[in-house]
Structures are given as structure tokens and as C-alpha cells.
């Protein structure tokens, strides 16, 4: 059974209370499209995108606290968050339990519909092929992501499943909202994991070495 995060009592956007909005907003508005698939947005929409991506970033931090790859996602419908999720594959022994999957499952239950029409997904890392396929099947209208995934990203980096003419649904894409913060979070996580693995190997070598000297 999927473990869900609880939605806040009110997830309506409050632009006035958003810290450091102008700096991030200028960065977003001046950014060049990552690919021909990306859409340009108005200043008002850019403010909303930053607000909701901040919540996705908070969820990614929750994933890190559980030693999961720090990716978070939210689904928004009519200005409100209706689904949230973060990576829980290790916790649940479920390879499909990605942030996008969990957020969309929750959103579908909220709408009582398997189609997420007029919804936007915000996620801190470009979706993989599994999650991109899910977005197409859900008929989600818009995808906003932060960091590119050059190895497995399926929104234009390695593949492009969200705007494939052979499929029966195409998704609006807007990339690089809070790219720096989300990329740094991921990089720090994998750096720590590499250091931990290195330390574990060293302890194992030391144990074997010490056991040999005892004889």
C-alpha cells in the first residue's frame, strides 16, 4: 500500500509570502527554452511555477531524510495542490514508487478520475520513461521540472515521450524552475552516497586485514 504524504490544510498560492521571489523570477523569465518542446510563460504564471516548485523541493528534502533519491512532485489543479509525492522506492520495496507516480495516484483519488485534465505536474527532476508514460496516460496538461536528467530523462534530454507524435497526447513542457537548488540537492546526495560506499569498502578491507593478522 502506498504511503501518502498529507496535503496541507490550504495549498492555495500566496504570492505575497513567497521569499526571494523576484530574484528567482527574473532568472526564470530570462531563461532560454531547453528545447523546441518548451513553452514560454507569463510573469504571473512564472510566479505560480516557483511557488509550487518550492513545495516539490520540500518533498524532495523529505525523500533525502529517508535516504531515498531526493525527488519531489506535486500535482496542481485550479490553483490548488491535489497530489503530493516523493521517492519511496526503497522504503516500500516498489520500483514504481517515484515522486511523480505517488503524486499522480493521490491526485487521481482526489479528482475521482483516472484522467488529470487541466492539471500541472511539478517535479524536481526530469521524469524517467516510466513516469513520462504515466503523464501521457493521465492526460496531464502541463509538466514543469527543475533539473535535467541527461541519462534517463524522457522529456527531451535522453528521450522525448511527452511530445511524441506517435502517441495520442502531447504535454506542454517548461523546464529549469529552481534548477540550481534541485541539482545541488541531488549532487550532494549522490556525493554522500559515494563517500558512504567508499567508507564501507574501507572498513571491510580493514576487517579482512585485521582478521588475517590475528592468525
Amino acid at each position: 500500500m502506498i504511503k501518502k504524504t498529507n496535503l496541507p490544510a490550504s495549498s492555495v498560492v500566496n504570492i505575497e509570502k513567497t521569499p526571494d521571489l523576484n530574484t528567482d523570477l527574473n532568472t526564470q523569465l530570462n531563461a532560454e527554452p531547453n528545447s523546441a518542446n518548451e513553452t514560454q510563460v507569463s510573469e504571473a504564471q512564472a510566479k505560480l511555477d516557483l511557488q509550487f516548485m518550492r513545495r516539490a523541493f520540500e518533498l524532495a528534502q523529505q525523500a533525502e531524510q529517508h535516504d531515498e533519491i531526493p525527488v519531489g512532485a506535486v500535482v496542481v489543479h485550479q490553483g490548488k495542490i491535489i497530489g503530493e509525492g516523493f521517492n519511496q522506492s526503497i522504503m516500500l520495496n516498489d520500483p514504481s514508487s517515484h515522486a511523480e507516480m505517488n503524486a499522480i495516484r493521490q491526485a487521481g483519488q482526489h479528482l475521482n478520475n483516472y484522467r488529470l485534465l487541466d492539471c500541472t505536474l511539478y517535479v524536481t527532476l526530469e521524469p524517467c520513461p516510466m513516469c513520462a508514460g504515466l503523464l501521457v496516460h493521465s492526460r496531464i496538461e502541463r509538466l514543469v521540472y527543475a533539473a535535467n536528467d541527461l541519462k534517463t530523462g524522457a522529456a527531451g534530454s535522453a528521450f522525448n515521450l511527452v511530445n511524441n507524435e506517435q502517441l495520442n497526447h502531447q504535454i506542454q513542457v517548461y523546464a529549469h524552475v529552481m534548477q540550481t537548488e534541485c541539482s545541488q540537492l541531488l549532487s550532494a546526495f549522490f556525493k554522500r552516497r559515494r563517500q558512504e560506499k567508499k567508507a564501507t569498502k574501507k572498513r571491510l578491507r580493514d576487517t579482512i586485514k585485521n582478521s588475517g593478522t590475528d592468525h
Side-chain angles (χ1 to χ4, degrees), residues 104 114-117 133-141 169:
I104 285 178
Y114 74 110
R115 300 297 197 198
L116 302 185
L117 304 177
L134 174 66
L135 298 182
V136 173
H137 283 298
S138 72
R139 300 297 190 270
I140 208 154
E141 180 179 2
H169 179 68

Side-chain angles (χ1 to χ4, degrees), residues 6-194:
N6 293 325
L7 290 176
S10 175
S11 298
V12 179
V13 175
N14 188 339
I15 299 300
E16 300 300 326
K17 295 183 179 180
T18 305
D20 301 322
L21 183 62
N22 290 333
T23 299
D24 290 342
L25 181 60
N26 289 335
T27 300
Q28 272 309 114
L29 292 175
N30 293 327
E32 293 294 330
N34 184 51
S35 71
N37 299 317
E38 287 187 32
T39 57
Q40 293 293 329
V41 298
S42 66
E43 182 175 345
Q45 184 61 59
K47 288 181 179 180
L48 295 177
D49 290 345
L50 282 168
Q51 183 77 13
F52 290 126
M53 188 62 79
R54 283 197 171 93
R55 178 56 187 160
F57 182 73
E58 291 173 357
L59 292 165
Q61 291 175 311
Q62 289 186 35
E64 184 181 34
Q65 292 171 6
H66 293 287
D67 208 28
E68 296 271 2
I69 296 175
V71 179
V74 300
V75 177
V76 173
H77 180 250
Q78 296 181 350
K80 294 183 179 181
I81 294 175
I82 62 170
E84 295 187 335
F86 57 84
N87 277 6
Q88 299 185 55
S89 295
I90 299 173
M91 296 168 60
L92 302 178
N93 298 311
D94 180 359
S96 74
S97 190
H98 288 195
E100 303 96 316
M101 186 77 71
N102 295 331
I104 285 178
R105 283 171 174 160
Q106 195 175 102
Q109 291 180 358
H110 178 88
L111 294 175
N112 195 30
N113 198 327
Y114 74 110
R115 300 297 197 198
L116 302 185
L117 304 177
D118 302 318
C119 291
T120 298
L121 176 84
Y122 295 84
V123 62
T124 57
L125 180 66
E126 182 180 359
C128 69
M130 176 184 71
C131 293
L134 174 66
L135 298 182
V136 173
H137 283 298
S138 72
R139 300 297 190 270
I140 208 154
E141 180 179 2
R142 189 165 174 261
L143 164 66
V144 181
Y145 71 86
N148 291 103
D149 184 347
L150 300 180
K151 292 184 178 180
T152 63
S157 290
F159 315 94
N160 188 1
L161 297 180
V162 298
N163 277 287
N164 190 316
E165 293 181 355
Q166 292 180 299
L167 302 178
N168 59 358
H169 179 68
Q170 285 76 43
I171 300 168
Q172 298 176 34
V173 178
Y174 191 51
H176 301 157
V177 178
M178 289 186 65
Q179 178 184 20
T180 300
E181 296 91 333
C182 296
S183 295
Q184 288 176 347
L185 181 66
L186 285 160
S187 296
F189 172 81
F190 286 115
K191 181 179 180 180
R192 176 174 62 81
R193 287 279 292 268
R194 288 192 297 269

